[in-house]
Amino acid sequence: MGWIGTTLDALVSEISPEAGRRRALARSAAKLAMNYDAASRGRRAAGWKAPATDADAAAFGVRARLRQLSRDMVRNRPYAARAREVVTSNVVGTGIVPSVVHESAEVQAQIWAVLSEHLLTPALDARGELDLYAMQEVVIGTVFTDGEVLARRRIRRGKYARDLPLGFQVELLEADHLDDTVTSWGKNEVIEGVEYSPIGDIEAYHIFDEHPGSARMRGLKLTSRRVPWQDVLHIRRFDRPGQLRGVPWLAPVMMTMGEISDYQEAQILKQKMAALLAAVVTYDKDSGVDPSKRLKGLEALEPGAVVGTPEGTAVNFTTPPKVDDYQPFMREALGAVAMGIGITRESLTGDLSGVNFSSGRMGRMEMDRNVERWQRMVIMQFCMGVERWMRESWAMQRVLPTEIIRLNHTPPRRPLIDPNDEIDAFLKQIEGGVNSRQNVQRTLGLDPERIRRERAEDAQKDGDAKLAPTGASNLPTARENRAKANPEGTVT
């Protein structure tokens, strides 16, 4: 520490013992931190950024910039667009299917008849374009690109109801609609358009009537409205405790993707240069060749041509650069991008070379865990929010007896890599009591209530036709099928 530091510590302790104690504790903590190389501030850690901000402050002031960069990448970078499609198609696919849970099959059918007319038609959309499944696709795609998306409830009454089965519609809004010019509302603090109560929970959103970037809003003054939280669904991924805002999923890999694009452009230019083969003709100054005939026969060489050159000339061909190591570099770089997003490199690139069944299955299992988490995010924050609005509208309109309505939400079917063995494993789980039939059915993207109803209908019709009953116990397993195909037991 040196005699100067020691003398200064002694002087501070003499004047203020409390301040001296704090200096001693700070020095001790600094010595302990130096035991970790990553905590050092030397040359090796130069340029490292480690601000002590909370989850939302980390992106404060730059959230809009991140959204704009992410959107531009999805528009113009093929791998960014591909990553969004992979996430969207795996999380929602053809749709997370709602189903009514009720003891009475008759009441269940009556409820579903009303809900399907509202949820599964464009009547749900405030613009009359999207049904519930299409909205789910837009929601997860926007969360991927922007980090968050808003769904606003629009109450419809009277002439604005337009014969809707239920008196509400849903309007999807980008986060740009949040008015970041409002800083307070009474005793509540407003940060980036989100109003927080004194205890820190969200009370309202301040939303522009129009998108700030709309072409028809140029030159016009933007106005925002305070919308209570009950009328807004805020869908985003939570990565840290206390986080209330989202960031684009491409944020950790934006720099890498930009550098990959620069590298690709450089390689393309290099490839164009490699395709250029030029001939340089030199002449002896004393050759006496007529200048008008110097390049005769060399202006355009054709395959297989034999061309003579005048005496005193020499022809030298250029050596264009070679394009080397492109595929190994791109493979590793795109693997890093895929890991940063949470998907497999094979799904990002579509390249299955060098992948066998086991490695493909292991990679897919890891990605499936992420997909399940993202599906839960969409179900909890969007699907169940729409269900809450549906229940409230149902109670106000008294469409049917106002009893409690509950929905199940079934994610899309996960593609099976080996259907025979995997279905066989599911059946053994059910028989062994380690899994339920309806949970397996949901894993396969099927609605247990619908299957139960249709099986009852099949059994009734088979009974009326005096057909023998069929069931899972009568179906041969995958192992029995292989044994029949290979009775000798030889290895195939």
Side-chain angles (χ1 to χ4, degrees):
M1 182 170 61
W3 67 271
I4 296 179
T6 304
T7 304
L8 183 58
D9 284 348
L11 180 60
V12 171
S13 298
E14 184 68 25
I15 298 173
S16 174
E18 180 63 24
R21 185 182 67 84
R22 289 197 300 268
R23 286 177 61 86
L25 290 175
R27 289 190 181 279
S28 299
K31 289 180 180 179
L32 291 174
M34 292 304 106
N35 291 328
Y36 292 91
D37 293 340
S40 65
R41 299 180 183 273
R43 176 183 57 82
R44 294 174 61 190
W48 290 14
K49 298 179 181 179
T53 54
D54 68 8
D56 291 325
F60 182 79
V62 299
R63 212 180 303 274
R65 173 68 174 167
L66 288 173
R67 287 198 303 267
Q68 293 158 9
L69 289 173
S70 180
R71 292 169 187 168
D72 182 73
M73 285 195 165
V74 171
R75 284 193 298 263
N76 297 304
R77 309 291 171 93
Y79 289 112
R82 171 64 178 171
R84 170 176 164 150
E85 291 303 314
V86 168
V87 171
T88 301
S89 61
N90 279 273
V91 173
V92 300
T94 56
I96 298 175
V97 180
S99 58
V100 179
V101 179
H102 200 280
E103 297 178 355
S104 170
E106 182 180 357
V107 175
Q108 182 185 51
Q110 291 176 342
I111 294 173
W112 180 244
V114 177
L115 293 187
S116 60
E117 285 294 321
H118 190 73
L119 299 181
L120 305 187
T121 67
L124 180 65
D125 184 14
R127 299 183 182 273
E129 301 290 342
L130 309 175
D131 64 358
L132 179 64
Y133 300 148
M135 279 191 174
Q136 294 169 0
E137 182 179 346
V138 175
V139 163
I140 186 60
T142 307
V143 170
F144 175 88
T145 305
D146 297 356
E148 54 191 345
V149 66
L150 304 175
R152 181 178 179 182
R153 174 171 61 175
R154 293 288 193 173
I155 302 296
R156 304 302 189 198
R157 295 188 180 92
K159 65 178 182 179
Y160 298 105
R162 296 180 295 182
D163 299 326
L164 295 175
L166 295 174
F168 78 97
Q169 291 183 310
V170 178
E171 181 183 16
L172 297 181
L173 302 172
E174 292 182 323
D176 305 66
H177 281 264
L178 292 174
D179 185 358
D180 56 7
T181 63
V182 181
T183 58
S184 64
W185 188 271
K187 295 183 179 180
N188 292 342
E189 185 179 21
V190 182
I191 302 175
E192 293 183 305
V194 183
E195 181 181 328
Y196 301 92
S197 72
I199 63 173
D201 59 339
I202 296 178
E203 278 204 2
Y205 295 84
H206 293 260
I207 300 177
F208 288 122
D209 293 334
E210 295 284 346
H211 193 292
S214 174
R216 59 185 177 183
M217 288 303 298
R218 293 178 181 175
L220 300 178
K221 183 179 179 180
L222 288 169
T223 58
S224 62
R225 303 178 188 275
R226 182 181 185 271
V227 182
W229 71 268
Q230 294 92 336
D231 290 331
V232 178
L233 303 178
H234 190 180
I235 302 97
R236 69 281 196 202
R237 189 178 68 185
F238 296 104
D239 299 316
R240 293 176 57 184
Q243 180 178 348
L244 294 172
R245 298 294 304 275
V247 293
W249 293 12
L250 291 177
V253 298
M254 279 185 184
M255 294 293 290
T256 303
M257 295 195 74
E259 290 168 350
I260 289 175
S261 295
D262 294 341
Y263 174 76
Q264 284 183 301
E265 291 177 4
Q267 288 287 17
I268 291 172
L269 179 60
K270 190 176 180 181
Q271 190 71 47
K272 290 180 179 179
M273 294 173 61
L276 297 175
L277 181 64
V280 180
V281 182
T282 59
Y283 299 89
D284 189 344
K285 63 181 180 179
D286 299 326
S287 62
V289 179
D290 185 355
S292 63
K293 300 180 179 179
R294 284 186 174 184
L295 293 177
K296 187 176 182 180
L298 296 176
E299 303 92 341
L301 293 178
E302 298 179 356
V306 178
V307 181
T309 59
E311 183 180 358
T313 61
V315 181
N316 298 305
F317 291 94
T318 59
T319 54
K322 296 181 180 180
V323 179
D324 298 322
D325 300 327
Y326 175 77
Q327 289 185 345
F329 174 83
M330 289 296 294
R331 183 181 181 87
E332 295 300 320
L334 292 174
V337 170
M339 286 189 295
I341 296 172
I343 59 179
T344 63
R345 187 192 66 82
E346 291 75 25
S347 63
L348 177 64
T349 63
D351 179 17
L352 298 177
S353 60
V355 178
N356 56 32
F357 176 81
S358 297
S359 62
R361 181 179 174 84
M362 291 296 293
R364 181 56 192 260
M365 288 171 61
E366 185 71 22
M367 176 177 162
D368 283 344
R369 296 295 178 267
N370 291 333
V371 170
E372 289 173 1
R373 293 191 297 111
W374 301 335
Q375 287 173 339
R376 181 173 176 81
M377 175 191 71
V378 175
I379 292 174
M380 296 294 292
Q381 298 184 37
F382 179 69
C383 296
M384 295 187 69
V386 174
E387 177 185 347
R388 171 171 60 85
W389 290 343
M390 176 273 298
R391 245 191 322 261
E392 293 172 358
S393 180
W394 191 284
M396 287 188 296
Q397 293 182 239
R398 299 182 181 273
V399 180
L400 287 173
T402 55
E403 47 194 317
I404 297 177
I405 303 172
R406 186 169 66 87
L407 299 183
N408 277 336
H409 303 276
T410 304
R413 178 179 64 88
R414 178 178 63 86
L416 302 179
I417 299 177
D418 187 353
N420 284 336
D421 283 341
E422 292 187 63
I423 293 295
D424 193 13
F426 283 140
L427 295 176
K428 288 182 177 179
Q429 290 176 7
I430 297 173
E431 293 172 359
V434 298
N435 204 346
S436 66
R437 185 173 60 188
Q438 59 181 347
N439 187 53
V440 168
Q441 291 167 345
R442 289 195 182 95
T443 302
L444 297 173
L446 303 172
D447 179 7
E449 297 297 330
R450 179 178 178 180
I451 292 177
R452 186 177 295 109
R453 183 172 62 253
E454 291 179 351
R455 289 184 62 183
E457 293 173 357
D458 290 342
Q460 179 66 38
K461 292 179 180 179
D462 289 347
D464 294 342
K466 298 182 180 180
L467 298 176
T470 59
S473 59
N474 297 326
L475 298 177
T477 63
R479 189 174 290 103
E480 291 172 345
N481 287 333
R482 287 195 295 270
K484 291 178 181 179
N486 186 23
E488 300 299 328
T490 57
V491 177
T492 58

Short mmCIF file of all heavy atoms in Angstrom, two decimals, residues 296-322:
data_model
loop_
_atom_site.label_atom_id
_atom_site.label_comp_id
_atom_site.label_asym_id
_atom_site.label_seq_id
_atom_site.Cartn_x
_atom_site.Cartn_y
_atom_site.Cartn_z
N LYS A 296 -4.24 -8.64 -80.96
CA LYS A 296 -5.01 -9.48 -81.86
C LYS A 296 -4.99 -10.93 -81.39
O LYS A 296 -3.93 -11.52 -81.21
CB LYS A 296 -4.43 -9.36 -83.28
CG LYS A 296 -5.29 -10.09 -84.32
CD LYS A 296 -4.75 -9.86 -85.72
CE LYS A 296 -5.64 -10.55 -86.76
NZ LYS A 296 -5.13 -10.34 -88.13
N GLY A 297 -6.20 -11.47 -81.18
CA GLY A 297 -6.34 -12.84 -80.70
C GLY A 297 -6.38 -12.97 -79.20
O GLY A 297 -6.66 -14.04 -78.67
N LEU A 298 -6.08 -11.87 -78.45
CA LEU A 298 -6.07 -11.92 -76.99
C LEU A 298 -7.21 -11.11 -76.37
O LEU A 298 -7.35 -11.07 -75.16
CB LEU A 298 -4.74 -11.38 -76.45
CG LEU A 298 -3.48 -12.18 -76.82
CD1 LEU A 298 -2.25 -11.46 -76.30
CD2 LEU A 298 -3.55 -13.58 -76.24
N GLU A 299 -8.02 -10.47 -77.21
CA GLU A 299 -9.09 -9.63 -76.65
C GLU A 299 -10.10 -10.48 -75.88
O GLU A 299 -10.58 -10.09 -74.82
CB GLU A 299 -9.83 -8.85 -77.74
CG GLU A 299 -8.92 -7.95 -78.57
CD GLU A 299 -8.43 -8.67 -79.82
OE1 GLU A 299 -8.49 -9.92 -79.84
OE2 GLU A 299 -7.99 -8.01 -80.75
N ALA A 300 -10.45 -11.64 -76.41
CA ALA A 300 -11.43 -12.51 -75.77
C ALA A 300 -11.03 -13.96 -76.03
O ALA A 300 -11.17 -14.46 -77.14
CB ALA A 300 -12.84 -12.25 -76.31
N LEU A 301 -10.50 -14.61 -75.02
CA LEU A 301 -10.06 -15.98 -75.15
C LEU A 301 -11.24 -16.92 -74.95
O LEU A 301 -12.03 -16.76 -74.04
CB LEU A 301 -8.98 -16.30 -74.12
CG LEU A 301 -7.64 -15.56 -74.28
CD1 LEU A 301 -6.69 -15.93 -73.16
CD2 LEU A 301 -7.00 -15.90 -75.63
N GLU A 302 -11.34 -17.93 -75.83
CA GLU A 302 -12.38 -18.94 -75.73
C GLU A 302 -11.79 -20.25 -75.27
O GLU A 302 -10.59 -20.50 -75.48
CB GLU A 302 -13.07 -19.12 -77.08
CG GLU A 302 -13.78 -17.86 -77.58
CD GLU A 302 -14.43 -18.08 -78.93
OE1 GLU A 302 -14.26 -19.19 -79.48
OE2 GLU A 302 -15.10 -17.15 -79.41
N PRO A 303 -12.61 -21.11 -74.64
CA PRO A 303 -12.08 -22.41 -74.20
C PRO A 303 -11.49 -23.21 -75.36
O PRO A 303 -12.11 -23.33 -76.42
CB PRO A 303 -13.31 -23.11 -73.62
CG PRO A 303 -14.23 -21.99 -73.22
CD PRO A 303 -14.01 -20.92 -74.24
N GLY A 304 -10.31 -23.73 -75.16
CA GLY A 304 -9.66 -24.55 -76.18
C GLY A 304 -8.98 -23.77 -77.28
O GLY A 304 -8.44 -24.36 -78.22
N ALA A 305 -8.96 -22.45 -77.19
CA ALA A 305 -8.35 -21.65 -78.26
C ALA A 305 -6.83 -21.71 -78.18
O ALA A 305 -6.25 -21.77 -77.10
CB ALA A 305 -8.82 -20.20 -78.15
N VAL A 306 -6.19 -21.73 -79.35
CA VAL A 306 -4.73 -21.67 -79.45
C VAL A 306 -4.39 -20.37 -80.17
O VAL A 306 -4.73 -20.18 -81.34
CB VAL A 306 -4.17 -22.88 -80.23
CG1 VAL A 306 -2.66 -22.77 -80.36
CG2 VAL A 306 -4.55 -24.18 -79.54
N VAL A 307 -3.77 -19.48 -79.44
CA VAL A 307 -3.52 -18.14 -79.97
C VAL A 307 -2.02 -17.88 -79.96
O VAL A 307 -1.33 -18.15 -78.96
CB VAL A 307 -4.24 -17.06 -79.11
CG1 VAL A 307 -3.98 -15.67 -79.68
CG2 VAL A 307 -5.72 -17.34 -79.07
N GLY A 308 -1.53 -17.38 -81.05
CA GLY A 308 -0.12 -17.01 -81.14
C GLY A 308 0.07 -15.55 -80.84
O GLY A 308 -0.78 -14.72 -81.18
N THR A 309 1.17 -15.21 -80.24
CA THR A 309 1.46 -13.82 -79.92
C THR A 309 2.64 -13.35 -80.76
O THR A 309 3.52 -14.14 -81.12
CB THR A 309 1.81 -13.65 -78.44
OG1 THR A 309 2.95 -14.46 -78.13
CG2 THR A 309 0.65 -14.09 -77.55
N PRO A 310 2.67 -12.09 -81.08
CA PRO A 310 3.78 -11.57 -81.89
C PRO A 310 5.11 -11.73 -81.17
O PRO A 310 5.17 -11.84 -79.93
CB PRO A 310 3.40 -10.09 -82.06
CG PRO A 310 1.94 -10.03 -81.80
CD PRO A 310 1.66 -11.08 -80.81
N GLU A 311 6.17 -11.72 -81.94
CA GLU A 311 7.51 -11.85 -81.38
C GLU A 311 7.80 -10.65 -80.47
O GLU A 311 7.45 -9.52 -80.78
CB GLU A 311 8.54 -11.93 -82.50
CG GLU A 311 9.97 -12.14 -82.01
CD GLU A 311 10.96 -12.22 -83.16
OE1 GLU A 311 10.51 -12.14 -84.32
OE2 GLU A 311 12.15 -12.33 -82.88
N GLY A 312 8.39 -10.95 -79.32
CA GLY A 312 8.73 -9.87 -78.39
C GLY A 312 7.66 -9.58 -77.36
O GLY A 312 7.77 -8.58 -76.63
N THR A 313 6.62 -10.41 -77.28
CA THR A 313 5.56 -10.20 -76.29
C THR A 313 5.58 -11.31 -75.24
O THR A 313 6.07 -12.42 -75.52
CB THR A 313 4.18 -10.18 -76.95
OG1 THR A 313 3.95 -11.46 -77.58
CG2 THR A 313 4.08 -9.08 -77.98
N ALA A 314 5.07 -11.01 -74.08
CA ALA A 314 4.96 -11.99 -72.99
C ALA A 314 3.59 -11.84 -72.35
O ALA A 314 3.12 -10.72 -72.14
CB ALA A 314 6.06 -11.79 -71.96
N VAL A 315 2.95 -12.98 -72.03
CA VAL A 315 1.63 -12.99 -71.42
C VAL A 315 1.74 -13.59 -70.02
O VAL A 315 2.21 -14.72 -69.86
CB VAL A 315 0.62 -13.79 -72.26
CG1 VAL A 315 -0.75 -13.76 -71.60
CG2 VAL A 315 0.54 -13.24 -73.67
N ASN A 316 1.31 -12.83 -69.02
CA ASN A 316 1.33 -13.28 -67.63
C ASN A 316 -0.10 -13.24 -67.07
O ASN A 316 -0.79 -12.23 -67.23
CB ASN A 316 2.23 -12.39 -66.77
CG ASN A 316 3.68 -12.42 -67.26
OD1 ASN A 316 4.27 -13.48 -67.37
ND2 ASN A 316 4.24 -11.25 -67.54
N PHE A 317 -0.52 -14.34 -66.45
CA PHE A 317 -1.87 -14.41 -65.88
C PHE A 317 -1.82 -14.06 -64.39
O PHE A 317 -0.89 -14.43 -63.67
CB PHE A 317 -2.46 -15.80 -66.08
CG PHE A 317 -2.78 -16.11 -67.52
CD1 PHE A 317 -1.87 -16.78 -68.31
CD2 PHE A 317 -4.00 -15.71 -68.06
CE1 PHE A 317 -2.17 -17.04 -69.63
CE2 PHE A 317 -4.30 -15.99 -69.38
CZ PHE A 317 -3.38 -16.65 -70.17
N THR A 318 -2.87 -13.36 -63.96
CA THR A 318 -2.96 -12.99 -62.56
C THR A 318 -3.30 -14.21 -61.71
O THR A 318 -3.81 -15.22 -62.21
CB THR A 318 -4.05 -11.92 -62.35
OG1 THR A 318 -5.30 -12.44 -62.80
CG2 THR A 318 -3.72 -10.65 -63.12
N THR A 319 -3.00 -14.14 -60.43
CA THR A 319 -3.32 -15.22 -59.48
C THR A 319 -4.35 -14.69 -58.48
O THR A 319 -3.99 -14.08 -57.47
CB THR A 319 -2.06 -15.68 -58.74
OG1 THR A 319 -1.44 -14.53 -58.13
CG2 THR A 319 -1.07 -16.31 -59.71
N PRO A 320 -5.64 -14.89 -58.76
CA PRO A 320 -6.69 -14.40 -57.85
C PRO A 320 -6.59 -15.07 -56.48
O PRO A 320 -6.08 -16.19 -56.34
CB PRO A 320 -8.00 -14.79 -58.55
CG PRO A 320 -7.60 -15.04 -59.98
CD PRO A 320 -6.20 -15.57 -59.93
N PRO A 321 -7.09 -14.41 -55.43
CA PRO A 321 -7.04 -14.99 -54.08
C PRO A 321 -7.98 -16.18 -53.95
O PRO A 321 -8.98 -16.29 -54.66
CB PRO A 321 -7.48 -13.83 -53.18
CG PRO A 321 -8.33 -12.98 -54.07
CD PRO A 321 -7.71 -13.08 -55.44
N LYS A 322 -7.66 -17.08 -53.05
CA LYS A 322 -8.50 -18.23 -52.76
C LYS A 322 -9.42 -17.94 -51.58
O LYS A 322 -9.08 -17.14 -50.71
CB LYS A 322 -7.64 -19.46 -52.45
CG LYS A 322 -6.78 -19.92 -53.61
CD LYS A 322 -5.98 -21.15 -53.22
CE LYS A 322 -5.11 -21.63 -54.37
NZ LYS A 322 -4.32 -22.84 -54.00
#
